[in-house]
Amino acid sequence: MQQTIDDALAYARGFIKEGKVATYIPELAKGNPDHVGVCLVTKEGETYHAGDWQQEFTMQSISKTMSLILALELVGYDKVFSKVGVEPTGDAFNSIVKLETKTLHPLNPMINAGAIATASCCVGGEDPFGRFLDLVRTLCGRDTITLNEAVYLSEKKAGMRNRAMAYLMQSENILECDAEEALDLYFKMCSVSIHTQDLANYAVILANDGCHPVTGERIVESWIVRIVKTLMVTCGMYDGSGEFAIKVGIPAKSGVGGGIVASVEGQMGIAAFCPGLDAKGNSIGAYRILEYLSRHLNLHYFAGTDKKVV
């Protein structure tokens, strides 16, 4: 397994120069495009890693899977999905088009508008971000995970497009709170700093139906895990989700910080990181790592005994 991980990293290094670091959030532009790392955690609790696997980066849109978990726990299925749908969009993650021309309800929780609506369901009560951070620490198995204050402030200052979406939704009574409250929580959620082992620990819990793979403790209810993994398949890689489903075939969620988290049903959690992104906002290096691992470990959900991947 370790050799396969090492080989996946070497394979990915051949492509990372094709990526471009995100610049629309100024603080993300400081990311080193040469950083690339991967961590894999099996259901049996074995851990394998390579490269810059402990390099911290902000979750960005990966946080959308965790905010959805929190919202479903807090207010339930009916409330959450009265605010946001479950269908792929075919548009960029920060597109406002569907809000203007089709329906003011965002189409799914994995795009920015949908994640802002989801975050609004988490605002009630005392210290909503503290509650979210506690969930992240539990899912990732590390109690020192914190907010990257510099990224948060940069994102908040530059987030005018997200602000437009939020106020448009507030005008139609979609949000559960004031637009600025929802936005502030959303920006903080995206700005939590993690590394690949944190996310691999999270992904293996998803792969194990919401239970810790070693202790057996239930962390997330089974029905919530099923919803999150389904949306990761259909919407987790932005408007590149269909191609990723063909080439990799693992439930996954990417973020413009350079991370991708992937959950192999009943087997393992994988996380990879490289700041250089493709045109759709997905990390090229992390994508290639997962592509390699899917092919050589036969992880595609429809692969059967055929290891060939397009």
Side-chain angles (χ1 to χ4, degrees):
M1 180 69 81
Q2 185 60 53
Q3 186 61 58
T4 303
I5 294 290
D6 292 339
D7 291 345
L9 189 79
Y11 172 73
R13 286 194 188 278
F15 297 92
I16 62 176
K17 296 299 183 184
E18 300 173 11
K20 296 185 182 299
V21 175
T23 58
Y24 72 96
I25 300 170
E27 197 67 22
L28 294 186
K30 299 177 182 179
N32 185 341
D34 293 328
H35 280 155
V36 56
V38 57
C39 184
L40 183 154
V41 178
T42 70
K43 189 178 175 182
E44 293 72 34
E46 299 170 331
T47 301
Y48 303 89
H49 46 73
D52 301 302
W53 64 281
Q54 286 188 306
Q55 174 63 45
E56 294 206 359
F57 55 97
T58 52
M59 286 201 292
Q60 298 301 322
S61 286
I62 293 171
S63 68
K64 293 170 182 174
T65 63
M66 298 182 188
S67 63
L68 179 59
I69 290 171
L70 182 60
L72 289 168
E73 289 178 344
L74 290 174
V75 302
Y77 179 95
D78 290 340
K79 173 63 77 173
V80 171
F81 292 111
S82 71
K83 306 295 181 183
V84 60
V86 295
E87 301 299 334
T89 68
D91 298 318
F93 62 90
N94 61 352
S95 174
I96 202 169
V97 171
K98 292 291 196 303
L99 285 179
E100 295 178 308
T101 61
K102 187 174 182 181
T103 172
L104 282 162
H105 286 76
L107 288 185
N108 68 71
M110 301 295 123
I111 55 175
N112 289 14
I116 293 166
T118 302
S120 79
C121 295
C122 303
V123 166
E126 186 177 347
D127 191 15
F129 177 67
R131 186 166 49 202
F132 175 77
L133 192 58
D134 286 343
L135 175 65
V136 172
R137 290 168 172 171
T138 299
L139 291 169
C140 294
R142 182 163 67 96
D143 61 9
T144 56
I145 292 173
T146 59
L147 174 72
N148 185 319
E149 187 79 14
V151 173
Y152 157 63
L153 293 175
S154 180
E155 193 155 349
K156 187 171 184 176
K157 183 177 181 180
M160 295 307 170
R161 193 175 187 86
N162 288 323
R163 196 161 274 110
M165 295 177 196
Y167 277 98
L168 185 57
M169 289 188 288
Q170 183 178 351
S171 72
E172 295 296 323
N173 299 312
I174 293 172
L175 300 185
E176 282 291 289
C177 61
D178 180 78
E180 289 296 335
E181 288 184 280
L183 285 162
D184 192 65
L185 180 57
Y186 170 71
F187 292 144
K188 285 180 177 176
M189 288 170 165
C190 290
S191 302
V192 171
S193 186
I194 40 72
H195 53 55
T196 60
Q197 185 168 3
D198 296 328
L199 292 180
N201 288 336
Y202 164 48
V204 78
I205 289 173
L206 294 180
N208 197 38
D209 193 39
C211 296
H212 192 283
V214 177
T215 67
E217 177 189 2
R218 177 157 294 283
I219 308 297
V220 185
E221 291 300 313
S222 181
W223 67 273
I224 295 177
V225 172
R226 183 172 66 249
I227 290 168
V228 171
K229 288 189 291 192
T230 301
L231 287 167
M232 288 167 73
V233 172
T234 58
C235 312
M237 300 295 290
Y238 307 131
D239 49 326
S241 296
E243 181 181 3
F244 187 85
I246 291 171
K247 290 189 173 182
V248 181
I250 306 170
K253 184 71 194 84
S254 64
V256 295
I260 300 178
V261 62
S263 178
V264 184
E265 190 68 11
Q267 296 187 56
M268 65 186 74
I270 310 170
F273 162 68
C274 184
L277 311 177
D278 63 19
K280 295 180 178 179
N282 298 314
S283 166
I284 288 179
Y287 193 127
R288 292 296 186 173
I289 286 171
L290 289 165
E291 179 186 34
Y292 187 96
L293 292 176
S294 178
R295 180 188 302 128
H296 289 270
L297 299 177
N298 201 30
L299 302 180
H300 194 291
Y301 31 55
F302 297 131
T305 59
D306 182 3
K307 296 183 184 295
K308 184 177 180 181
V309 177
V310 176

